[in-house]
Amino acid sequence: MIAATQSLMARGEPLTTVGVTAAAGLAQPTFYAYFTSIAQIRIAAVENAVARLAALGADWRAQLEWAPTDLEAQVDIMTTWLDVPQLAPAN
């Protein structure tokens, strides 16, 4: 469900329990077995993306003799390299 949520967020689609479970190929009641709200899965999806970027960043920086020290520059480079849309704040 987290990957489905991230996909919906990346496309700018509204997050609903129906949309998330449909995108994940699950029945809607399954959502509530793991999450209590859309806000909770949104936070989990962002935390997952940040953790993945941090892990990739650690690997990426370890392979380079240099790396930007500016966090924004690091995120820009990694998201471009991964071809992953940047997370935008929710409206």
Side-chain angles (χ1 to χ4, degrees):
M1 280 189 286
I2 298 232
T5 300
Q6 290 169 333
S7 179
L8 292 170
M9 290 172 69
R11 292 192 309 260
E13 295 184 24
L15 291 182
T16 64
T17 57
V18 172
V20 168
T21 53
L26 301 169
Q28 188 178 5
T30 305
F31 179 90
Y32 294 104
Y34 297 94
F35 301 99
T36 60
S37 67
I38 285 294
Q40 188 181 35
I41 197 168
R42 181 188 306 264
I43 290 167
V46 171
E47 287 174 343
N48 175 270
V50 168
R52 286 178 32 224
L53 281 173
L56 288 169
D59 291 343
W60 176 74
R61 291 187 77 178
Q63 294 177 25
L64 296 176
E65 292 181 14
W66 66 273
T69 56
D70 178 0
L71 180 60
E72 186 174 328
Q74 291 177 22
V75 171
D76 286 345
I77 291 168
M78 284 189 292
T79 54
T80 300
W81 179 63
L82 295 170
D83 195 28
V84 174
Q86 294 180 356
L87 295 175
N91 292 333

